[in-house]
Amino acid sequence: MSETATAKAAQASEAEAHSNRWKALVFIALAQLMVVLDATIVNIALPSAQQDLGISDGNRQWVITAYALAFGGLLLFGGRIADLWGRKRTFVTGLIGFAAASALGGAAQGEATMLGARALQGAFGALLAPAALSLLAVMFTDAKERAKAFGIYGAIAGGGGAVGLILGGFLTEYLNWRWTFFVNIPFAIIAAAGAYFVIREPAGGRNRSPLDIPGVVLSTLGLISLVYGFTRAESDGWSDSTTIGMFVASVVLLAAFVLVESKVKAPLLPLRVITDRNRGGVYLSLGLAIIAMFGLFLFLTYYLQIVKGYSPVKTGFAFLPMIVGMITGSTQIGARLMTRVPARLLMAPGFLAAAVGMLLLTQLEIGSSYAGLLLPAQLLLGLGMGTAFMPAMSLATLGVEPRDAGVASAMVNTSQQVGGAIGTALLNTIAASATTSYIKDHIAGAAAKPQQQLVQLEGMVHGYTSAIWFAVGILAAAATIAATFVNAGRPDTSSVSGSGEGDGVEDEFKVPVIAH
């Protein structure tokens, strides 16, 4: 009798988890938006914060780097904690910690407090981001519902950075740079309270194996070395001894990590997660696409503010077409077609459409028209990226064992974070080199000061277009990888979508979805 009662109680719990999933999505999406916003919102506030807190030019980059290192370095550890400790508990803890770190950053009176707050934001973000994505992975198992849920998540993950530019510009211009930190607090409190009361995590998905301490140490140090190497390359050059040392250290540490993971009984990152053909293709193509995207955000922000003279708020609003394109591509194209066509037929054309949008931007000049060039280019970029991101996010966690959902989700975030660091450093270096070369070749013919200023602006734009050509190639490579590696997601109309209640679910794809 007691066994029957236990079974009924378990079924009731599963039913409640299933019925609350759409409410839960609201709070998961809100938390994801907060994390993605934070990646760009502080960039616009940085000059004001630097002046107020007396941060030197040499240390200014650490406001961005401290966050990037903690976030990128601890993601795999955060994903494993979510699998071990429970995704809901990890998610709520990450939100509360992120809010506290944001309050500390907003109230900072000096450089040390600011840098410490940014590192703490990164650490709690590394708990929060994998927990959010893995909650979606275990809660949405029906093919059509999963497509809608990941459509919303993909739109936020892709477009949130551009929203951050708008919000950052507005808060900095009309309020104070401190509000770029304080704005996270209501986001986090609402998401944490909602998650606590609404999210019911499906039972049986924990990974209670002992924590792989050597794996944690090696992966964290390896990823920190890699991200810092690219950050250092941007500021000090690729031939700098510390830059080279960081890259060498990252190769050694990550190679040792792979070796350890292949030997230990309960690895931090089971190699089965990344050696799967589809997931490997997703991680690689997504990382490449983010390289192109992050570089573009940087160049367009500089172009609009320095060359065109836009205010921070106007610059933020100038990115709206890209956000609209991403939301449309993710929710109207990707989500609608994901259950009907193979994933690669969304990802590869999506990346190619984005490459065409990027190709338009290689025609950028000082006097380029916003409506004639920037607007259509951004729409194409947004549509392409939104269409590709949605199936990529879903496929990255499709078919993984429930106990691996956290680390599989963490790998998505890791590929994005490392891609962002590489994109900013690599494309910025290419642009700076092309600008220097252009000015050196043309400055001699400019006698008057206005002519010299014109040459410098032309050199700047020439640098941007040179780097954007590389971004076009990178997106083409992402499309090729998606078309070649990703072979899952063929529609199977004869199969019945699972109910999502632990019945050995198979969705409309010929890949098993996470079962409860």
Side-chain angles (χ1 to χ4, degrees):
M1 186 71 180
S2 61
E3 284 183 12
T4 306
T6 305
K8 283 183 177 178
Q11 284 179 347
S13 174
E14 291 291 337
E16 188 181 9
H18 194 62
S19 65
N20 280 342
R21 65 200 181 284
W22 289 110
K23 293 177 191 172
L25 176 62
V26 174
F27 301 111
I28 292 169
L30 188 64
Q32 175 63 16
L33 179 62
M34 183 186 72
V35 173
V36 177
L37 280 177
D38 207 70
T40 52
I41 196 170
V42 176
N43 292 28
I44 284 184
L46 187 53
S48 305
Q50 181 187 359
Q51 191 175 354
D52 272 11
L53 301 180
I55 301 173
S56 68
D57 285 347
N59 287 343
R60 176 180 58 189
Q61 65 160 343
W62 280 101
V63 177
I64 306 299
T65 305
Y67 177 87
L69 292 184
F71 188 64
L74 293 169
L75 272 167
L76 285 178
F77 179 54
R80 179 66 180 85
I81 289 294
D83 288 336
L84 175 69
W85 201 25
R87 293 168 193 101
K88 175 181 171 177
R89 188 185 299 176
T90 306
F91 182 70
V92 173
T93 304
L95 281 165
I96 294 167
F98 201 92
S102 297
L104 184 65
Q109 297 300 316
E111 183 178 312
T113 309
M114 170 59 79
L115 298 182
R118 287 293 283 164
L120 277 173
Q121 278 187 315
F124 283 108
L127 275 182
L128 177 59
L133 185 55
S134 58
L135 274 169
L136 281 193
V138 297
M139 292 174 78
F140 289 90
T141 53
D142 175 78
K144 289 181 180 176
E145 288 192 348
R146 187 180 175 91
K148 287 177 189 172
F150 276 88
I152 294 164
Y153 186 89
I156 290 169
V163 176
L165 294 170
I166 296 173
L167 195 56
F170 179 83
L171 293 172
T172 304
E173 197 166 322
Y174 294 113
L175 292 172
N176 184 289
W177 66 265
R178 296 183 184 277
W179 283 95
T180 60
F181 287 88
F182 292 145
V183 75
N184 291 326
I185 298 170
F187 275 105
I189 290 171
I190 293 166
Y196 182 79
F197 290 110
V198 170
I199 291 176
R200 296 289 179 269
E201 188 179 346
R206 297 268 188 97
N207 183 346
R208 300 183 189 277
S209 306
L211 198 59
D212 168 23
I213 301 298
V216 170
V217 173
L218 288 169
S219 69
T220 302
L221 292 177
L223 287 169
I224 284 176
S225 299
L226 184 63
V227 173
Y228 183 53
F230 281 107
T231 306
R232 178 93 184 185
E234 185 189 357
S235 58
D236 292 64
W238 297 89
S239 58
D240 175 68
S241 57
T242 307
T243 302
I244 295 168
M246 284 292 128
F247 285 138
V248 171
S250 72
V251 169
V252 172
L253 288 163
L254 292 174
F257 171 66
V258 172
L259 184 65
V260 165
E261 298 308 273
S262 67
K263 304 288 184 189
V264 295
K265 190 175 180 181
L268 173 70
L269 175 64
L271 296 182
R272 61 180 174 269
V273 171
I274 53 173
T275 52
D276 175 85
R277 173 177 177 159
N278 290 290
R279 278 193 291 279
V282 165
Y283 297 146
L284 196 53
S285 61
L286 206 56
L288 286 170
I290 293 292
I291 289 175
M293 281 294 290
F294 263 65
L296 181 72
F297 276 145
L298 189 71
F299 299 142
L300 275 189
T301 303
Y302 284 151
Y303 174 79
L304 292 169
Q305 289 195 5
I306 298 170
V307 179
K308 290 294 197 183
Y310 283 23
S311 67
V313 170
K314 193 176 178 183
T315 300
F317 278 106
F319 281 97
L320 269 178
M322 196 183 297
I323 301 171
V324 170
M326 280 191 177
I327 293 170
T328 305
S330 191
T331 61
Q332 300 305 308
I333 301 174
R336 288 176 186 273
L337 295 180
M338 195 177 109
T339 54
R340 300 176 187 177
V341 299
R344 69 173 182 275
L345 295 186
L346 289 173
M347 288 176 66
F351 288 138
L352 283 176
V356 172
M358 201 74 86
L359 190 64
L360 287 178
L361 290 173
T362 60
Q363 306 305 308
L364 210 59
E365 294 174 351
I366 289 177
S368 291
S369 156
Y370 179 84
L373 181 66
L374 292 173
L375 190 145
Q378 284 193 69
L379 281 173
L380 268 174
L381 269 162
L383 279 170
M385 287 294 196
T387 302
F389 273 21
M390 207 286 302
M393 292 284 184
S394 179
L395 203 57
T397 53
L398 191 66
V400 294
E401 296 175 34
R403 63 197 172 119
D404 295 335
V407 288
S409 303
M411 275 303 298
V412 177
N413 295 110
T414 302
S415 66
Q416 289 179 301
Q417 189 63 23
V418 172
I422 295 170
T424 306
L426 179 65
L427 296 180
N428 211 23
T429 307
I430 292 165
S433 175
T435 296
T436 304
S437 178
Y438 183 93
I439 292 172
K440 188 179 175 183
D441 291 343
H442 294 81
I443 200 74
K449 193 173 181 181
Q451 289 177 308
Q452 290 176 352
Q453 289 174 335
L454 182 64
V455 167
Q456 286 177 335
L457 287 177
E458 286 173 345
M460 206 179 288
V461 175
H462 173 74
Y464 301 157
T465 55
S466 299
I468 288 169
W469 273 111
F470 277 85
V472 172
I474 290 167
L475 282 171
T480 305
I481 288 166
T484 308
F485 283 81
V486 177
N487 63 357
R490 291 181 178 278
D492 184 1
T493 51
S494 63
S495 71
V496 180
S497 292
S499 65
E501 295 184 15
D503 53 359
V505 180
E506 283 238 352
D507 71 359
E508 291 180 8
F509 298 97
K510 290 182 178 176
V511 180
V513 179
I514 296 169
H516 296 169

